[in-house]
């Protein structure tokens, strides 16, 4: 018997050692994966934007998949760091030029605008900007068209087709399968709920989408025309006819300068930087080059607080979470080294309650130091709401702006349940105890009170806008109603102060704080793989993270709306639209 217990104890000890060893190895692997390589910039280098570069607006978008250790995945680089890298490269003798080698570009439309502008400025240094493509997306070509020379593979093509949107409607589908949908909204343009109410696009939605798409495409196509020296009328014909998909036609109509293979393109760069054809080109990525930039300049700091993604209650990092942002804002309020704050917003909105929490904290921050807003791809609905606690608002020309409206959507399954022999009876203590039923939907009293809640939230929304924009309720209501505007139109109707970049907002913040030498710091900071696993600063459990990783962020949002009763019952300030050139 003693030998039996000794054997069991020995086996348990061995298992414990194996588990402990695996744990130590696992943690060590994470730490090693998080350590970046040393940055050594060699002479005669070419700064290169390739397929492995992912442009992001906020550190919160760079949440690495802690279930994956693939070192070949895309390297994420902050837009601000890309712009700083281009600016530094102008005067860096080690950088001879820039090469754009991306068939697809993972970046938003306003990010592409900013990078294009930076490249135009870079060319003033006399250094070259070349581009090469195979099967090139519209967004990648828009960026690459700014190059001195654009080279295309002889068997390649360019996706140049303009912008479109397709609205899918679910009203008849829901009726066919016995799914009821109760909708409460304010604003005839609040198109987020239209697919559940109609079987075709409304005139109001048709109008706003047409205006928005044409504003953005006219701005985008005019820049391509200017860079490639193609008349705008001719570019319209090229786009309408899809000529860019045929390499010879791309060459004929001056979309590209030459049809060559990639090795021939590399030889052109070798000749440009005066090295032999058998020598390797020292290409350095934006991710690596940005690590060599020191943004610290004295004790004074301009903080850039990034708000990217949907707005939610509670804690989390994959988006904008009220609890986290309240803490970040309080840190900035108490940090005497932070002289001013730029609030960079790239959000379609989300929870009305969470938006209100964030706005309140920003209003308190504004009392202590200058707060300047910079809009990214979109600052719509709740994303626009949280901007109302600022001294000045900068928008990009192509930012989706406004969408001043509120809605709630509640699905229920009474008819579907009845068709399958399912019904329910509720036992309650009060008239509306059973407020929201998966089978019967909203109780009459709940529908009444939620309608009042939506109207009250809209009134509060417009109130804060009138205060910030110094306009009457009637003036804001006339351009509100859930309607989305481009940044250019938003400037015309007074929803923003200036058209400008993130750097413009930073410059204005420094001027407001009366400082000249300062560093720029990003908040909130990126969360490492190690912190993702062990951090308590998130309401997500392990299974939730696995599901999100498996089905993707966009699909998970739909899954959450269906399965989370709190999400279904929540009053929303949100827009369903996003604009991408790809």
């Amino acid at each position: 018997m003693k030998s039996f217990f000794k054997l069991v104890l020995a086996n348990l000890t061995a298992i414990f050692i194996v588990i402990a060893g695996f744990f130590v190895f696992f943690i060590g692997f994470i730490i090693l994966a998080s350590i970046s390589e040393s940055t050594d910039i060699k002479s005669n280098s070419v700064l290169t934007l390739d397929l492995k570069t992912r442009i992001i607006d906020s550190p919160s978008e760079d949440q690495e998949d802690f279930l994956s250790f693939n070192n070949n995945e895309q390297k994420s680089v902050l837009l601000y760091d890309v712009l700083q890298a281009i600016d530094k490269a102008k005067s860096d003798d080690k950088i001879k030029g820039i090469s754009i080698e991306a068939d697809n570009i993972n970046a938003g439309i306003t990010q592409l605008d900013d990078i294009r502008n930076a490249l135009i400025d870079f060319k003033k240094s006399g250094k070259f900007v070349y581009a090469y493509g195979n099967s090139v997306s519209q967004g990648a070509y828009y960026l690459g068209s700014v190059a001195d020379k654009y080279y295309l593979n002889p068997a390649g093509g360019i996706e140049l087709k303009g912008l479109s949107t397709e609205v899918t409607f679910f009203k008849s589908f829901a009726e066919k399968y016995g799914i009821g949908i109760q909708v409460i909204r304010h604003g005839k343009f609040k198109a987020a709920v239209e697919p559940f109410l109609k079987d075709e696009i409304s005139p109001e939605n048709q109008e706003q989408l047409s205006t928005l798409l044409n504003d953005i495409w006219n701005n985008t196509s005019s820049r391509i025309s200017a860079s490639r020296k193609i008349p705008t009328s001719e570019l319209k014909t090229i786009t309408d006819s899809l000529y860019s998909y045929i390499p010879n036609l791309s060459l004929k109509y001056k979309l590209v300068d030459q049809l060559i293979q990639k090795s021939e393109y590399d030889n052109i760069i070798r000749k440009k930087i005066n090295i032999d054809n058998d020598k390797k080109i020292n290409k350095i990525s934006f991710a690596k080059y940005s690590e060599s930039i020191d943004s610290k300049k004295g004790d004074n700091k301009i903080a850039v607080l990034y708000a990217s993604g949907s707005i939610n209650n509670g804690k989390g990092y994959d988006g904008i979470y009220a609890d986290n942002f309240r803490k970040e804002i309080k840190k900035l309020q108490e940090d005497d080294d932070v002289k001013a704050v730029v609030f960079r917003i790239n959000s379609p909105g989300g929870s009305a309650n969470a938006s209100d929490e964030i706005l309140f904290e920003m209003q308190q921050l504004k009392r202590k130091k200058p707060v300047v807003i910079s809009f990214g791809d979109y600052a719509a609905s709740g994303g626009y709401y949280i901007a109302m606690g600022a001294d000045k608002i900068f928008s990009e020309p192509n930012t989706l702006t406004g969408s001043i409206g509120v809605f709630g959507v509640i699905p229920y399954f009474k008819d579907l349940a009845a068709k399958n022999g399912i019904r329910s009876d509720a036992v309650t203590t009060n008239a509306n105890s059973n407020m929201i039923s998966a089978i019967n939907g909203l109780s009459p009293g709940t529908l009444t009170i939620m309608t009042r809640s939506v109207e009250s939230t809209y009134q509060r929304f417009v109130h804060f806008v009138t205060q910030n924009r110094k306009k009457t309720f009637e003036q804001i209501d006339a351009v509100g109603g859930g309607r989305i505007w481009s940044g250019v139109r938003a400037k015309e109707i007074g929803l923003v102060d200036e058209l400008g970049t993130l750097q413009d907002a930073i410059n204005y913040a420094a001027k407001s704080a009366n400082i000249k030498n300062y560093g720029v710091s990003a908040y909130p900071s990126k969360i490492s793989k190690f912190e993702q696993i062990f951090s308590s600063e998130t309401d997500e459990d392990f299974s939730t993270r696995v599901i999100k990783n498996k089905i993707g962020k966009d699909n998970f949002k739909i899954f959450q709306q269906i399965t989370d009763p709190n999400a279904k019952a929540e009053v929303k300030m949100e827009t369903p639209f996003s604009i991408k050139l790809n």
Side-chain angles (χ1 to χ4, degrees):
M1 184 63 72
K2 287 183 178 180
S3 61
F4 172 76
F5 282 118
K6 285 181 179 179
L7 182 62
V8 170
L9 184 61
N11 286 331
L12 288 174
T13 303
I15 291 171
F16 175 78
I17 292 172
V18 170
I19 293 174
F22 177 78
F23 182 78
V24 171
F25 172 80
F26 182 66
I27 298 302
F29 194 80
I30 292 174
I31 293 171
L32 287 174
S34 302
I35 297 174
S36 58
E37 299 177 3
S38 60
T39 304
D40 180 23
I41 312 301
K42 299 178 182 178
S43 59
N44 238 17
S45 293
V46 176
L47 190 56
T48 305
L49 184 66
D50 58 20
L51 294 173
K52 290 186 178 180
T53 304
R54 174 178 174 241
I55 312 297
I56 60 173
D57 207 73
S58 159
S60 66
E61 297 175 54
D62 191 17
Q63 304 307 322
E64 299 174 278
D65 175 13
F66 65 88
L67 301 173
S68 169
F69 297 98
N70 180 13
N71 291 325
N72 293 321
E73 62 189 10
Q74 287 185 324
K75 299 296 183 183
S76 297
V77 191
L78 279 175
L79 170 65
Y80 181 76
D81 290 341
V82 171
L83 301 180
Q84 290 290 98
I86 295 173
D87 184 64
K88 180 189 176 185
K90 285 191 305 182
S91 56
D92 188 342
D93 293 336
K94 293 181 179 180
I95 301 296
K96 302 303 180 185
I98 294 177
S99 177
I100 303 170
E101 302 173 19
D103 286 353
N104 295 286
I105 186 76
N106 197 334
I109 186 169
T110 60
Q111 296 166 354
L112 294 176
D113 286 338
D114 286 355
I115 297 171
R116 269 185 119 260
N117 291 335
L119 290 172
I120 291 171
D121 182 63
F122 174 84
K123 292 198 295 184
K124 295 175 183 177
S125 67
K127 299 180 180 181
F128 70 88
V129 177
Y130 288 167
Y132 181 86
N134 291 285
S135 297
V136 186
S137 71
Q138 189 162 249
Y141 180 72
Y142 173 57
L143 179 62
S145 64
V146 78
D148 303 310
K149 297 286 184 181
Y150 197 107
Y151 300 93
L152 183 68
N153 187 286
I158 298 169
E159 183 185 50
L160 189 62
K161 55 184 175 52
L163 299 178
S164 70
T165 185
E166 191 170 359
V167 183
T168 304
F169 296 90
F170 302 100
K171 181 175 179 287
S172 293
F173 172 85
E175 290 174 352
K176 178 180 178 179
Y177 290 99
I179 302 171
I181 300 174
Q182 291 173 290
V183 172
I184 308 163
R185 68 169 175 173
H186 184 106
K188 63 181 180 179
F189 289 100
K190 203 63 187 177
V193 298
E194 191 170 279
F196 305 110
L197 299 174
K198 298 176 177 289
D199 281 323
E200 59 183 14
I201 194 167
S202 66
E204 294 85 4
N205 198 17
Q206 176 88 39
E207 176 192 343
Q208 78 162 341
L209 289 177
S210 178
T211 301
L212 180 67
L213 292 177
N214 278 290
D215 279 352
I216 293 174
W217 182 247
N218 288 339
N219 186 27
T220 302
S221 60
S222 65
R223 293 184 176 189
I224 295 174
S225 294
S227 294
R228 296 300 307 169
K229 296 180 174 59
I230 302 172
T232 53
S233 59
E234 187 176 331
L235 184 65
K236 184 179 186 308
T237 300
I238 294 168
T239 306
D240 290 344
S241 305
L242 301 177
Y243 288 157
S244 63
Y245 283 80
I246 310 299
N248 289 334
L249 293 180
S250 289
L251 181 62
K252 176 182 177 181
Y253 290 105
K254 301 178 182 179
L255 294 175
V256 302
D257 295 287
Q258 198 173 347
L259 302 179
I260 58 175
Q261 297 290 340
K262 181 61 164 56
S263 58
E264 295 176 293
Y265 172 73
D266 286 340
N267 285 336
I268 288 174
I269 291 182
R270 287 187 178 95
K271 184 177 180 180
K272 189 71 177 176
I273 62 177
N274 295 316
I275 65 172
D276 295 334
N277 284 352
D278 60 344
K279 296 287 177 127
K280 183 180 178 180
I281 303 171
N282 185 39
K283 294 182 179 181
I284 181 169
S285 69
F286 275 83
K288 186 175 180 181
Y289 187 66
S290 64
E291 293 173 3
S292 68
I293 299 174
D294 183 10
S295 61
K296 296 179 181 179
K297 298 177 181 178
D299 294 331
N300 295 332
K301 290 192 295 185
I302 300 293
V304 180
L305 177 62
Y306 289 94
S308 184
S310 61
I311 302 174
N312 311 280
N313 283 308
K315 301 174 183 177
Y317 292 104
D318 191 11
I320 306 166
Y321 288 83
D323 286 358
N324 295 74
F325 267 77
R326 282 193 291 105
K327 290 180 181 178
E328 291 292 336
I329 295 167
K330 287 184 182 297
K331 284 181 191 175
L332 298 176
Q333 190 173 343
E334 296 165 2
D335 190 340
D336 292 334
D337 290 337
V338 173
K339 304 304 181 184
V341 176
V342 173
F343 194 19
R344 173 71 170 186
I345 299 172
N346 191 20
S347 172
S351 165
N353 175 260
S355 300
D356 200 75
E357 284 190 85
I358 294 170
L359 173 59
F360 175 79
E361 296 299 337
M362 292 304 299
Q363 289 172 329
Q364 307 313 302
L365 178 63
K366 180 185 172 184
R367 293 178 179 177
K368 291 199 68 174
K369 53 193 71 177
V371 175
V372 181
I373 300 292
S374 170
F375 287 162
D377 281 355
Y378 37 34
S381 212
Y384 185 74
Y385 186 87
I386 60 177
M388 294 301 99
D391 299 297
K392 198 175 186 71
I393 299 176
F394 287 84
S395 174
E396 303 272 2
N398 288 335
T399 299
L400 273 67
T401 312
S403 189
I404 301 169
V406 187
F407 72 92
V409 178
I410 303 92
Y412 64 98
F413 306 94
K414 185 175 183 178
D415 293 341
L416 176 62
K419 289 177 183 179
N420 291 278
I422 301 171
R423 61 175 301 279
S424 69
D425 286 321
V427 179
T428 65
T429 61
N430 294 83
N432 293 290
S433 296
N434 191 29
M435 292 178 61
I436 303 172
S437 165
I439 291 180
N440 296 309
L442 299 179
S443 68
T446 303
L447 181 60
T448 299
I449 205 69
M450 283 194 69
T451 300
R452 289 179 61 184
S453 176
V454 165
E455 290 297 330
S456 174
T457 303
Y458 180 76
Q459 296 287 328
R460 185 172 174 82
F461 194 159
V462 176
H463 165 72
F464 286 123
V465 178
T466 58
Q467 285 190 324
N468 184 273
R469 306 315 305 156
K470 297 179 175 56
K471 292 181 179 293
T472 65
F473 183 94
E474 289 73 23
Q475 287 175 314
I476 296 302
D477 192 40
V479 297
R483 180 161 184 171
I484 295 177
W485 306 89
S486 68
V488 172
R489 300 269 180 172
K491 171 69 168 61
E492 292 175 358
I493 61 180
L495 293 182
V496 303
D497 295 297
E498 300 287 346
L499 295 179
T501 65
L502 173 59
Q503 188 60 57
D504 291 328
I506 292 172
N507 294 342
Y508 184 85
K511 183 179 179 181
S512 300
N514 197 28
I515 56 175
K516 293 184 179 180
N517 295 316
Y518 57 88
V520 177
S521 299
Y523 299 83
S525 58
K526 174 187 172 183
I527 304 302
S528 68
K529 292 182 180 182
F530 184 86
E531 290 173 303
Q532 284 185 59
I533 297 174
F534 296 102
S535 174
S536 62
E537 288 296 301
T538 177
D539 290 337
E540 289 186 357
D541 57 23
F542 184 82
S543 60
T544 300
R545 300 185 202 183
V546 172
I547 294 171
K548 184 184 292 186
N549 177 67
K550 192 71 176 175
I551 68 176
K553 296 176 183 177
D554 293 337
N555 290 331
F556 180 79
K557 186 175 180 181
I558 298 171
F559 170 79
Q560 189 179 37
Q561 287 177 335
I562 296 172
T563 59
D564 185 350
N566 294 322
K568 287 189 286 186
E570 196 170 32
V571 175
K572 295 280 190 179
M573 297 176 179
E574 193 166 22
T575 179
F577 302 120
S578 63
I579 298 292
K580 293 186 177 180
L581 284 179
N582 295 343

